[in-house]
Amino acid sequence: MEFSIKQGSPEKLKSGCVVVGVFDGGKLSIAAQALDKAAKHALSDVIARGDMNGKAASTLLLQKLPGVAADRVLLVGLGKAAELNNKAISEILRATFGALSGSPAKDAVLYLIDEGVGKDAAWVIKQAVFAAAEQTFRADSLKSKPSKPATLKDITFASLEKPSATLKTVLDQAAATAHGMDLAKTLGNLPGNICTPTYLAAKALALGKSHKSIKTTVLEEKDMQKLGMGSFLSVTRGSEQPAKLITLEYFGAAKTQMPIVLVGKGITFDTGGISLKPGAEMDEMKYDMCGAASVLGTLQAVAEMGLKLNVVGVIPTCENMPSGKATKPGDIVTSMSGQTIEILNTDAEGRLILCDALTYSKKFNPDTVIDIATLTGACVIALGHVASGMFSNEDKLAQELLAAGEQSHDRVWQLPLWEDYQPLLDSNFADMANIGGRAGGTITAACFLARFTKDYRWAHLDIAGTAWLSGKQKGSTGRPVPLLTQYLINRTAPK
Ligand code: BES
Ligand code: MN
Ligand code: ZN
């Protein structure tokens, strides 16, 4: 899908479809008025007959209007101007691209960034690009007869006035973000028998090949042994698939500039290990590598944008399987930090691979470290599927992530990291246990990680409720690629 932005008259731009808005009660937007005039009041006639009343997210496709260069005209209901909030705009854009992809149009010109809808043109452009990408995404490549690729290929955002250079940049960044989300979604949806740790490593190496600015390295189990990663290695013990520790280094600024490190949980399948999970919906544990997928998607987006900063991706990846060799409840392991851990539940494995990856991340002399993990079912109970859980040991970083979430509509909500929770991780036999009981399960998981991140500015994102959808709409969402890329874009802005 290609995106561009330009100035032009709605009736004159040639395309498969021109999209204009209609407000509540059938009031035409300025672009719609221009079309109406050129088409001898065809639009006002349609509205007078009652076929379109401007209700938010309603659509009506018209064909071959006289005086209009585009083959089709799509009327999109915008509702009441005063009620055009972020949520309404997202729904309108989703309906728009739903209608467009249901038509044979190969390209479309959208007049949605002027006037009413354009209160924040940058926001509309970003959400439109995400909605377009969502409509054209295909998840059925493994069916014997996959569906045809989308016919809609070119999207032009048009405006009556000359678009600013800033909006052009916003559009390019949104397109790169959408491509990063596509990568994250594709990897997330792949089954565990295809998307193994070795497969993820191959994808990371391929990213290094296709982008000169990315350098990928892959550590093997013997390397991790030497580094003393006893916690990470305890998780992979029951698996036949070799574990990998992937690093991707992106240099967009001077090598002396301290990097932002993104650490992504890459459990390619989580059975729970000896603390085996119940069978229902266990297939969804193929999504337990969505943190890793978001790191790959974000690095690809950052490289495509050519952002002027340094970013490192660190991905600990393995399976969590039961077997005669698997780690057992009660086993005690030594992490790379030297701290010992009593593994009371082998299903709390994410923190065990992350803690060693977080210790390893110190070697990059990080400015900031952010880990991203489908870490706890408790987070789904706390925040549902709307916000990702967010923790930080620095309030400024927390505020920056909250803001980036709003800007990208990929929101996070902060939970406390107070010391008061730490005693829940006490163990009689080791420095800590890997679980803290049922109460505050998302918080105690974060408290566990906090014991390994004292030397740098750090945030933890629990994406268990936001990385994928269940039921009929089952599929990866590509979150939090929009949040992470927005945060990184913001970090390049002059202070
Ligand atoms: N990958 C899961 C978390 C998860 C579960 C995400 C369900 C999304 C949906 C994680 O490894 C896990 O199993 N966590 C346990 C921790 C518990 C044993 C303390 C959980 O949440 O039940
Ligand atoms: Mn688990
Ligand atoms: Zn897990």
Side-chain angles (χ1 to χ4, degrees):
M1 180 97 81
E2 297 294 325
F3 298 96
S4 58
I5 182 164
K6 68 174 170 205
Q7 180 183 20
S9 318
E11 70 279 12
K12 287 192 192 131
L13 287 184
K14 264 196 149 35
S15 78
C17 188
V18 57
V19 180
V20 292
V22 179
F23 288 97
D24 189 57
K27 184 174 162 288
L28 299 179
S29 63
I30 298 175
Q33 285 171 28
L35 281 187
D36 193 44
K37 195 159 161 226
K40 303 204 174 62
H41 305 294
L43 271 57
S44 347
D45 289 349
V46 162
I47 285 160
R49 284 198 297 268
D51 290 283
M52 164 52 90
N53 58 13
K55 194 172 156 290
S58 61
T59 58
L60 183 68
L61 191 65
L62 306 172
Q63 307 277 348
K64 291 261 169 230
L65 295 193
V68 176
D71 296 337
R72 303 168 189 81
V73 173
L74 180 67
L75 301 183
V76 177
L78 303 175
K80 293 195 174 72
E83 290 171 9
L84 262 175
N85 55 25
N86 289 352
K87 183 164 176 285
I89 293 174
S90 294
E91 276 158 17
I92 289 163
L93 292 170
R94 222 172 279 140
T96 302
F97 285 99
L100 280 176
S101 56
S103 91
K106 290 193 191 69
D107 59 342
V109 175
L110 279 68
Y111 281 88
L112 294 175
I113 55 176
D114 289 314
E115 42 175 336
V117 205
K119 264 178 289 190
D120 181 354
W123 207 89
V124 174
I125 286 180
K126 279 187 271 185
Q127 293 309 312
V129 169
F130 298 162
E134 187 179 299
Q135 279 294 336
T136 47
F137 182 78
R138 296 286 181 272
D140 59 0
S141 68
L142 295 175
K143 293 197 182 194
S144 54
K145 294 190 183 68
S147 57
K148 286 204 197 76
T151 37
L152 188 60
K153 291 257 152 48
D154 277 291
I155 307 290
T156 303
F157 294 96
S159 67
L160 305 165
E161 279 155 43
K162 194 171 180 315
S164 67
T166 322
L167 279 189
K168 284 207 167 84
T169 308
V170 165
L171 177 62
D172 290 343
Q173 292 178 337
T177 304
H179 298 150
M181 288 171 80
D182 276 0
L183 172 62
K185 286 162 78 166
T186 301
L187 290 172
N189 287 332
L190 282 174
N193 62 330
I194 294 177
C195 186
T196 59
T198 303
Y199 185 93
L200 281 183
K203 282 284 159 192
L205 288 165
L207 265 187
K209 273 245 155 62
S210 56
H211 293 88
K212 278 207 174 64
S213 50
I214 295 179
K215 190 184 108 200
T216 305
T217 39
V218 179
L219 296 191
E220 306 295 331
E221 288 181 13
K222 59 176 190 324
D223 307 313
M224 299 178 221
Q225 203 98 48
K226 282 192 200 122
L227 288 164
M229 296 189 164
S231 184
F232 180 4
L233 289 168
S234 76
V235 176
T236 195
R237 280 187 64 82
S239 172
E240 301 287 328
Q241 293 288 338
K244 308 275 173 183
L245 180 65
I246 305 166
T247 57
L248 304 105
E249 291 169 89
Y250 167 80
F251 291 106
K255 293 226 169 174
T256 49
Q257 191 173 314
M258 290 157 79
I260 296 165
V261 178
L262 306 176
V263 180
K265 173 177 173 182
I267 295 290
T268 58
F269 197 83
D270 181 11
T271 65
I274 296 298
S275 312
L276 193 64
K277 286 181 180 296
E281 281 137 39
M282 207 211 273
D283 66 288
E284 294 191 6
M285 283 300 114
K286 72 177 183 178
Y287 290 115
D288 215 14
M289 37 56 71
C290 283
S294 77
V295 171
L296 292 171
T298 300
L299 268 124
Q300 180 189 284
V302 164
E304 195 177 317
M305 289 184 241
L307 278 193
K308 291 189 169 48
L309 82 180
N310 296 335
V311 185
V312 176
V314 175
I315 298 174
T317 173
C318 69
E319 290 180 332
N320 186 19
M321 299 288 285
S323 96
K325 283 198 287 187
T327 295
K328 305 168 289 297
D331 285 2
I332 294 178
V333 298
T334 305
S335 66
M336 184 180 175
S337 73
Q339 298 177 91
T340 59
I341 305 163
E342 184 185 17
I343 300 175
L344 290 177
N345 189 320
T346 64
D347 197 12
E349 85 298 341
R351 59 199 81 181
L352 296 174
I353 68 169
L354 288 170
C355 70
D356 280 343
L358 287 165
T359 302
Y360 181 74
S361 296
K362 277 198 249 179
K363 82 173 218 155
F364 300 105
N365 185 27
D367 168 274
T368 302
V369 177
I370 302 174
D371 77 74
I372 307 102
T374 48
L375 203 63
T376 65
C379 192
V380 191
I381 305 300
L383 297 173
H385 303 286
V386 178
S388 302
M390 183 264 287
F391 298 83
S392 180
N393 61 8
E394 197 211 61
D395 214 50
K396 181 163 164 276
L397 173 57
Q399 294 305 324
E400 287 170 355
L401 287 168
L402 279 165
E406 290 293 340
Q407 276 174 286
S408 57
H409 204 53
D410 183 3
R411 290 163 295 176
V412 298
W413 196 251
Q414 192 177 7
L415 296 163
L417 257 188
W418 298 323
E419 284 294 319
D420 312 53
Y421 292 99
Q422 285 290 355
L424 293 168
L425 294 169
D426 283 350
S427 155
N428 287 350
F429 309 108
D431 295 341
M432 70 195 88
N434 78 327
I435 53 167
R438 271 168 56 82
T442 303
I443 300 173
T444 50
C447 284
F448 180 94
L449 299 177
R451 293 176 181 227
F452 300 85
T453 57
K454 296 208 162 105
D455 296 343
Y456 46 68
R457 181 180 17 224
W458 161 73
H460 158 59
L461 302 176
D462 194 330
I463 58 166
T466 53
W468 75 91
L469 301 170
S470 306
K472 237 186 130 44
Q473 321 176 64
K474 192 185 286 180
S476 183
T477 61
R479 290 178 70 182
V481 172
L483 165 78
L484 294 170
T485 49
Q486 186 67 57
Y487 167 75
L488 293 171
I489 290 166
N490 294 350
R491 285 294 308 264
T492 63
K495 293 223 174 64

